[in-house]
Amino acid sequence: MNSEMKLQIKTFISNFIKLCIKFIKLLPNILKTLYKEVLQRLRFSISFKITVVYTWLFTKLLIFSSILLWIICSSYMVTSAEKKVSQNLDLVKYYLANNDIIPSKQLENLSTISKTKITLFDDNKKVIFNTSKSNTFYTGNNNINKKYRFVFNGTVFNEDSISLIINNKLNLKVDSIYVQINYILADELTNSIKLLILLFCINFIFVFISIRPGAKASKKLLKPVYNMSETVNSIDVNALDTRLDVSGSQDELKDLAKAFNKMLNRLQDSYERQNEFVSDASHELRTPISVIQGYVNLLDRWGKNDTEVLEESIEAIKSEAENMKNLVENLLFLARGDKNTQVINPEEFLLNELMDEIIKETKLIASGHNIISNGSYDINLYADRKLIKQALRIFIDNSIKYTAKDGNITINYTKVNNEAIITIEDNGIGISAEDLPNIFHRFYRADKSRAKDTGGTGLGLSIAKWILLKHKGNIEVESHINVGTKFIIRLATIN
Ligand code: ADP
C-alpha cells in the first residue's frame, strides 16, 4: 500500500467519523421531529391510527404464536433428551446385570457417545464409579431415588448449563446399586436460544413488511371518508342540491352518508322555505305600499281641493296602513317564534272565563252572525293566557270571515279527563280537500281572491298552530266545501 493510498484511507476514515459525529449530534433533533410527527399523525390521521393499531395487534399475534412455537419446540427437545437418558439407563442396567464387576470400559464408551455422565453409588450412597473426571455428582435433597431432575448451573455442577438427571436403584444379584445419569442440555439450550433469535428476527421482518400494505389498506378503507369530505366541502348555498354518493357496500359509512343526505334535505328544505317566506312577505308588503302610493299620487294631483277624493284616499291609506301593520306584526311574531325568542308567560287561569270574554267580544264584532256557545265550568289551564286568547281569536275571526252574514258560529268548550276540548264550528264556505292539508302553511290562502276581500294575510293559522304546539296542544280540522268548517283544539288541564 503506497503512502498516497494510506492518506486517502485516512482522510476517508476521518471524514466518516466526522459525519458520524455530526449525525449523532443531529440525532436528538431527528428523534424529536419524528416523535412530533408521530404525535401529530396520531392526533389527526385516522388512517395512521388504524395502521398503528393493526400493526400492534399483528405484532402481538406474531409474538404470541412465536412463543407458543418456541415452547413446543423446546419441550420436544427436552422430551427427546429424556428418552435418550432413559435409553442410556436401560443400557447401563443391561451392562451391570451381565457383568460381575463394574464394566467401566463400556460405561465410559457409552458416556462419551451419549455425552452423559454416569455415576454409580453403593448402598451407603458412596461413589463407586464415575465417568466424569471432576468427580462431581448431584446430591440435591440427598434423594437419588427421584427420577428426573433439572439442575441449574452453580447448584452442584460447575458446568455452565442445565442438566437433566436420572436416578435409579438397581437390585443386582448380591447387593443393590444406585445409578445416576447426568445429561447436560447444552445443545438443546443453544438450539432453543437460536430458535428464539430466529423467531424474533422473522417477527421483526414480518411486522416491518406488513406496515406498508396495512397503511395502504387503511387508506383504501377510508377512501369513502375522503370522498365524502370532498363533496361536503363543495356544498354551499348555490349547490344545496348536491348529495353524497350512497352506492356501494352497505356499511357504517353508507349510514353516515345517508344521515348527511337527510341533513342536507332538511337544510335545503328550510333554506327554500326561508326564501319563499321572504319573497311572499315582500310580495304581501308590496300591495299595500302600491295602494298607498296610488292614493298619495291621486291626492297630489286632484285631491287637495276635492274633499270626496281626500276622504276616500285617507280612508284607503288608513285601511292599507292597518293591513300592513297587521302583516308586519304577524311576520315579527313568526320570526320570533322561529328564533325561539317569543316570550311565553304561563299562568293558572280558568278557560271558561277566557271563553266568556272571547264570546262577548265576538258577539260585539260579528253582530250579523249567530254566535252559539255552550261550555263547562272549572276548566283550569296553566298556559300563556294572552297567547291562547290570540290563537282562539284567529279561529273565530276566520269563521266570521269565511261565513256569510246570518251564518252560525258555534263555540263549545268542555273538559274530558285531563283535557280541555274547544270546538269552533261554522257553516261557511268550507275548505276543499286539496286545500285542507295546506291551510297551516305560511301565506297559504285557499281562495286568494276572496281572501283579499277579507283582508287575510295567510299567516293566522300558522301563528295559531305555533302557539298551540308550544303549549303541547293539538288541532284537528274537518271541513266540506259549502257546508262549513270545524276546528277542534285540545289542551291539557291542570286538574
Ligand atoms: P287568512 O289570514 O288568509 O285567513 P289563515 O292562515 O288564518 O289566513 O287561513 C289560511 C286559509 O285557510 C284562509 O285563507 C282560508 O282559505 C282558509 N280558512 C281558514 N279558516 C277557515 C274557515 N273557518 N272557513 C273557510 N276557510 C278557512
Side-chain angles (χ1 to χ4, degrees):
M1 203 184 284
N2 57 30
S3 62
E4 203 184 319
M5 228 173 136
K6 269 185 191 169
L7 194 76
Q8 264 183 358
I9 291 172
K10 234 179 170 181
T11 345
F12 175 77
I13 291 172
S14 83
N15 280 344
F16 182 73
I17 290 170
K18 271 182 199 163
L19 209 74
C20 284
I21 293 170
K22 251 187 193 171
F23 179 74
I24 290 167
K25 273 185 187 165
L26 278 176
L27 201 63
N29 275 343
I30 294 172
L31 286 177
K32 222 169 149 185
T33 322
L34 206 73
Y35 176 73
K36 267 189 190 166
E37 177 75 5
V38 169
L39 267 194
Q40 182 89 347
R41 276 172 179 245
L42 267 180
R43 215 171 286 158
F44 296 111
S45 167
I46 294 181
S47 148
F48 187 71
K49 270 184 209 164
I50 294 176
T51 315
V52 169
V53 169
Y54 276 96
T55 312
W56 175 232
L57 285 179
F58 183 60
T59 312
K60 279 210 285 195
L61 197 78
L62 267 182
I63 290 176
F64 176 74
S65 45
S66 301
I67 290 176
L68 204 72
L69 188 70
W70 179 74
I71 290 173
I72 292 170
C73 289
S74 302
S75 43
Y76 175 76
M77 284 190 266
V78 172
T79 320
S80 309
E82 277 176 3
K83 246 190 209 163
K84 201 166 153 186
V85 171
S86 131
Q87 277 168 2
N88 278 7
L89 181 70
D90 288 344
L91 272 173
V92 172
K93 274 184 195 171
Y94 176 79
Y95 293 150
L96 290 174
N98 291 306
N99 287 296
D100 291 334
I101 53 157
I102 293 169
S104 29
K105 194 93 201 133
Q106 280 172 313
L107 291 180
E108 252 151 35
N109 278 348
L110 180 66
S111 161
T112 325
I113 295 165
S114 62
K115 292 180 189 162
T116 53
K117 284 181 191 171
I118 302 165
T119 315
L120 301 179
F121 308 84
D122 65 9
D123 249 349
N124 301 319
K125 315 282 163 60
K126 231 183 105 196
V127 178
I128 50 174
F129 176 78
N130 194 357
T131 55
S132 162
K133 282 180 195 91
S134 62
N135 203 22
T136 53
F137 52 88
Y138 175 67
T139 56
N141 287 344
N142 240 356
N143 181 7
I144 53 171
N145 290 321
K146 207 145 188 200
K147 218 181 165 197
Y148 290 112
R149 253 167 213 291
F150 291 98
V151 181
F152 293 88
N153 59 347
T155 337
V156 175
F157 294 97
N158 292 325
E159 280 82 5
D160 292 331
S161 188
I162 302 170
S163 295
L164 176 66
I165 289 172
I166 188 166
N167 293 312
N168 208 269
K169 185 183 176 190
L170 297 180
N171 291 318
L172 300 174
K173 277 173 217 155
V174 194
D175 48 5
S176 35
I177 203 164
Y178 290 89
V179 183
Q180 185 177 79
I181 298 176
N182 174 11
Y183 176 68
I184 297 166
L185 293 161
D187 289 348
E188 284 74 7
L189 194 69
T190 325
N191 289 340
S192 169
I193 290 168
K194 273 185 194 163
L195 180 69
L196 199 63
I197 293 168
L198 183 75
L199 286 173
F200 176 78
C201 293
I202 290 174
N203 282 356
F204 182 77
I205 292 167
F206 268 37
V207 168
F208 191 73
I209 290 173
S210 73
I211 292 175
R212 234 184 112 73
K216 263 190 176 174
S218 70
K219 269 204 181 124
K220 202 175 167 188
L221 268 177
L222 290 173
K223 198 163 187 303
V225 178
Y226 297 131
N227 292 345
M228 263 159 77
S229 88
E230 227 169 75
T231 316
V232 171
N233 270 333
S234 72
I235 296 173
D236 59 15
V237 279
N238 300 318
L240 263 183
D241 52 351
T242 313
R243 293 293 175 270
L244 299 174
D245 183 13
V246 286
S247 58
S249 58
Q250 180 73 46
D251 53 20
E252 288 87 345
L253 286 178
K254 189 169 182 170
D255 291 343
L256 182 69
K258 277 186 188 165
F260 252 124
N261 283 348
K262 273 189 197 157
M263 184 196 74
L264 286 171
N265 285 348
R266 286 197 300 275
L267 279 181
Q268 189 180 10
D269 204 40
S270 74
Y271 181 75
E272 278 167 6
R273 263 193 294 136
Q274 190 99 6
N275 268 352
E276 217 171 284
F277 183 69
V278 171
S279 90
D280 283 345
S282 325
H283 187 78
E284 288 299 323
L285 280 170
R286 212 174 56 187
T287 319
I289 290 170
S290 309
V291 175
I292 290 171
Q293 251 181 345
Y295 276 104
V296 169
N297 286 341
L298 188 73
L299 276 177
D300 195 26
R301 267 191 234 157
W302 328 99
K304 282 173 211 153
N305 305 317
D306 188 335
T307 36
E308 214 177 298
V309 174
L310 193 66
E311 256 171 47
E312 189 199 325
S313 303
I314 290 170
E315 226 17 74
I317 290 169
K318 256 168 105 180
S319 140
E320 288 305 324
E322 184 66 27
N323 282 349
M324 253 166 72
K325 191 183 145 225
N326 287 343
L327 178 65
V328 169
E329 266 170 14
N330 286 347
L331 282 174
L332 279 175
F333 186 97
L334 286 172
R336 279 197 301 268
D338 289 347
K339 278 206 301 182
N340 266 332
T341 51
Q342 175 62 46
V343 186
I344 298 172
N345 291 319
E347 58 180 311
E348 206 180 312
F349 67 92
L350 285 168
L351 178 72
N352 38 300
E353 279 181 12
L354 175 68
M355 291 312 289
D356 282 348
E357 198 178 304
I358 294 174
I359 290 160
K360 225 183 247 171
E361 284 171 14
T362 312
K363 279 181 180 161
L364 280 177
I365 306 162
S367 50
H369 293 81
N370 301 315
I371 313 292
I372 308 148
S373 65
N374 191 14
S376 319
Y377 293 98
D378 293 335
I379 309 174
N380 251 305
L381 286 190
Y382 183 73
D384 188 317
R385 194 177 191 274
K386 258 183 159 178
L387 289 180
I388 297 290
K389 185 176 177 184
Q390 188 182 347
L392 294 174
R393 277 245 63 94
I394 290 168
F395 293 111
I396 296 170
D397 287 350
N398 276 349
S399 290
I400 299 167
K401 274 194 284 184
Y402 301 109
T403 306
K405 281 227 155 90
D406 289 334
N408 294 337
I409 294 163
T410 314
I411 305 166
N412 290 331
Y413 50 95
T414 183
K415 190 181 142 193
V416 178
N417 297 325
N418 284 332
E419 220 171 39
I421 303 173
I422 309 151
T423 56
I424 297 158
E425 192 174 358
D426 63 59
N427 58 354
I429 59 166
I431 307 162
S432 71
E434 307 95 74
D435 288 325
L436 209 53
N438 300 318
I439 57 166
F440 290 98
H441 292 169
R442 291 173 187 186
F443 294 109
Y444 192 85
R445 276 174 293 196
D447 186 341
K448 297 216 163 43
S449 53
R450 194 189 278 251
K452 214 88 267 82
D453 305 334
T454 57
T457 58
L459 293 176
L461 288 182
S462 318
I463 293 173
K465 186 181 169 187
W466 186 91
I467 294 172
L468 292 169
L469 289 187
K470 275 285 162 191
H471 285 86
K472 306 219 163 28
N474 169 279
I475 319 165
E476 279 169 44
V477 52
E478 295 163 9
S479 188
H480 295 283
I481 215 108
N482 293 329
V483 176
T485 306
K486 184 180 180 183
F487 283 97
I488 306 152
I489 298 129
R490 289 168 209 274
L491 281 165
T493 59
I494 51 167
N495 55 15

